[in-house]
Amino acid sequence: MITRQYAILLIVVGILLTACAQSDNQAESVVKKKPNILFIMSDDHAYQAISAYSNHLTETPNIDRIAKEGMLFTNACVTNSICAPSRAVILTGKHSHLNGKIDNMFPFDTTNITFPQLLQNAGYQTAMFGKLHFGNNPKGFDEFQILPGQGTYYNPDFITKQHGKVRETGYTTDIITDKTLNWLKTERKEEEPFLLMYLHKAPHREWLPPERHYKNFTKKIFPEPSTLFDDYEGRGSAAKEAEMNLLTHMNWAGDSKIRPEVMDELGIPETAKWDKGAYKREVGRQNEAQRAKWDAVYDPINEDFKKRFPTMTEKEKMQWRYQRYMQDYLGSIAAVDDGVGEVLDYLEESGLAENTIVVYTSDQGFYLGEHGWFDKRFIYDESFKTPLMVKWPNVIKPNQINTTMVQNLDFAQTFLDAAGVAAPADMQGESLVPLMKGEAENFREAVYYHYYEYPSVHMVKRHYAIVTEEYKLAHFYFDVDEWELYDRKKDGNEMKNVYHEPAYAEVVIELKEKLAAMRVKYKDSKELDQKYIDMYAEKMKGTKWWK
Ligand code: SGN
Ligand code: CA
């Protein structure tokens, strides 16, 4: 016979056990609730070429889905507008002068702690596919397949974690998409949250679209930017001396896809000494079948050019180049948009979308003929700002537009915050999660910028700067000592340096103080500027950049 006391004890134990089991279940569901993170980044994708921002150039319906279902950031920017340094800032949450990856030349210092390592330690399954451009392999990834260096548009090589170097046949953007989808479908573990980095090489120079898009895009005509014929008056020597002009610095063969033989026939010299080489490297990499399709479209363009070139004015050459540039650049983006659509579709079909943060961004912005330029590097808006949109169902409401100044510096802390993982104290960004929830006020007053790679390709001088919503104050240094100030509200195209205008004297004093304080806050200094000049000199000694 069970005594009454014993029966009560059993009931109490039963209740306690049930309560424990329930809280275990709750704990489990909390663990399960950690969001997946799909980080999509393309290379050199200008916000001017995303229809969520403006459709004056092209439509990107799939990329736009992310903005429609979530938040579009209209003032996202980078800390250093160049490829590998931007990626290093994203992974480490630290400015270039602290993570050490100041330019594209030096390999990334792998003793840096990156957010993927921290997520992996916290139980995330991690994978990376596409372009990294670090000079070494990424740490903190269960799986990676990355392009060596810049990669190529057709028949790319990949450095893989499992099988060493492999060569694939096909179009690189599509292959990176397939690898990403394949991992989601076959490698992803049900029981762990994931971090998936899906990193396109496109639309990086030399802009080779796939057949399905070059067939159409080569027939299109695009509106010219109002500053296409900028003469750089009213600005400092940096803009005047930069080598990014469509007419004078873009390659005829490599970039505009004029056959080297046609250049010879017309007596056109190479723009840069790798002009014809770049054509051979990219177009020349296609196999016979790919090349036949390519020639069917690009040969008639060459024939037409042969007829026109002898009588073309400089202005007409510039206009012709701009159209050719946009056709290939935007055609390459159309393939990125296709890939993004496929991956978003799969997230929906598989039910993963519900608990997945999806980010679309670029490693920096790009000039699409504004100021007569291509490329990036400068603090002027087209390359300083970068596209950014994020969807996170149940956290970010659909169709949000956020105008706050956010930076690529903020990603690491944002993802750690979303995953409930503590960020190291020396990371320098801010979590964007409060902004995404619509909770943050007084987020940030100004951002800091520092570009280093000079002298180098495109010859953009070293400069550091402070940017507020109203102003941009930049100091160009090393072989010059020049300041530029832009009134962002009055001069959106940044055509007039007002640094020397008496009306702005007060603004200059105030911003210089703030800039000095920012350099202290972020631990940048004259000593570090000099250290990086000395390192660069050592590395580049004897090259054409450093005699
Ligand atoms: C190559 C390009 C440059 C470009 C750099 C860096 N020339 O050198 O135009 O600025 O890469 O780009 S190319 O003719 O070889 O394509 S980055 O995106 O990697 O920073
Ligand atoms: Ca880039």
Side-chain angles (χ1 to χ4, degrees), residues 42-45 81-84 86-87 104 131 133 150 201 204 362-366 375-376:
S42 46
D43 192 357
D44 296 353
H45 192 169
S81 183
I82 182 161
C83 186
S86 168
R87 290 153 201 265
N104 276 342
K131 181 176 172 183
H133 199 196
Q150 297 283 12
K201 173 220 166 43
H204 189 274
S362 169
D363 59 346
Q364 14 61 212
F366 213 67
D375 215 65
K376 52 254 176 179

Side-chain angles (χ1 to χ4, degrees), residues 6-21:
Y6 189 58
I8 291 170
L9 184 68
L10 276 184
I11 291 166
V12 171
V13 168
I15 291 171
L16 281 175
L17 282 177
T18 318
C20 282

Side-chain angles (χ1 to χ4, degrees), residues 73-362:
F73 289 87
T74 56
N75 271 309
C77 63
V78 294
T79 64
N80 179 1
S81 183
I82 182 161
C83 186
S86 168
R87 290 153 201 265
V89 168
I90 289 169
L91 292 180
T92 63
K94 290 181 184 174
H95 275 280
S96 306
H97 59 272
L98 292 195
N99 71 45
K101 186 84 180 100
I102 54 157
D103 57 35
N104 276 342
M105 307 295 172
F106 294 88
F108 176 69
D109 172 0
T110 56
T111 63
N112 276 299
I113 300 292
T114 64
F115 85 81
Q117 285 169 296
L118 298 171
L119 288 184
Q120 190 186 42
N121 288 342
Y124 269 69
Q125 192 189 3
T126 54
M128 176 188 280
F129 300 100
K131 181 176 172 183
L132 177 63
H133 199 196
F134 265 8
N136 44 41
N137 292 341
K139 278 188 170 171
F141 286 90
D142 302 320
E143 166 67 339
F144 63 77
Q145 299 194 33
I146 54 170
L147 299 166
Q150 297 283 12
T152 51
Y153 273 99
Y154 281 84
N155 311 328
D157 289 327
F158 281 86
I159 299 163
T160 71
K161 185 163 183 176
Q162 323 281 352
H163 311 288
K165 205 169 180 177
V166 296
R167 177 163 300 184
E168 307 282 2
T169 304
Y171 184 66
T172 301
T173 301
D174 299 343
I175 293 170
I176 295 171
T177 299
D178 290 346
K179 287 184 186 294
T180 300
L181 278 171
N182 185 51
W183 183 86
L184 276 172
K185 289 176 185 168
T186 64
E187 304 277 321
R188 188 184 62 83
K189 296 184 188 143
E190 289 283 336
E191 61 290 358
E192 289 172 13
F194 67 79
L195 162 70
L196 175 56
M197 300 190 84
Y198 166 38
L199 310 174
H200 283 295
K201 173 220 166 43
H204 189 274
R205 198 179 181 191
E206 279 82 13
W207 318 298
L208 275 70
E211 192 209 8
R212 65 181 183 278
H213 291 307
Y214 62 62
K215 272 164 117 177
N216 305 325
F217 276 78
T218 50
K219 295 194 191 99
K220 296 190 184 197
I221 299 287
F222 300 93
E224 290 172 5
S226 62
T227 58
L228 183 63
F229 296 97
D230 194 354
D231 60 5
Y232 316 116
E233 272 317 299
R235 264 134 307 147
S237 62
K240 294 187 180 104
E241 289 172 26
E243 298 181 355
M244 321 202 313
N245 189 274
L246 296 189
L247 185 60
T248 39
H249 304 111
M250 198 173 245
N251 289 329
W252 285 104
D255 296 325
S256 300
K257 321 296 179 338
I258 292 302
R259 277 175 178 272
E261 312 84 82
V262 173
M263 283 174 67
D264 294 343
E265 221 179 292
L266 295 170
I268 303 175
E270 288 187 291
T271 306
K273 72 172 192 302
W274 71 91
D275 187 336
K276 293 176 183 169
Y279 181 91
K280 283 175 193 142
R281 187 183 67 226
E282 287 286 5
V283 179
R285 200 179 165 89
Q286 297 177 345
N287 62 32
E288 236 176 87
Q290 293 163 341
R291 187 60 193 265
K293 290 176 183 162
W294 178 273
D295 287 345
V297 172
Y298 284 84
D299 276 356
I301 295 174
N302 272 264
E303 288 308 315
D304 178 61
F305 179 72
K306 267 204 267 184
K307 279 186 222 134
R308 287 168 185 240
F309 181 77
T311 58
M312 267 175 162
T313 63
E314 296 302 286
K315 186 178 176 200
E316 284 165 347
K317 281 181 199 163
M318 181 73 160
Q319 291 173 315
W320 183 89
R321 289 212 114 165
Y322 170 73
Q323 296 302 337
R324 248 341 350 276
Y325 170 33
M326 284 302 93
Q327 290 166 353
D328 289 349
Y329 178 86
L330 297 171
S332 305
I333 286 170
V336 171
D337 192 67
D338 296 338
V340 170
E342 279 181 51
V343 175
L344 291 179
D345 286 348
Y346 179 72
L347 291 184
E348 294 292 341
E349 284 155 26
S350 61
L352 283 167
E354 179 79 5
N355 193 33
T356 301
I357 302 174
V358 180
V359 174
Y360 186 86
T361 191
S362 169

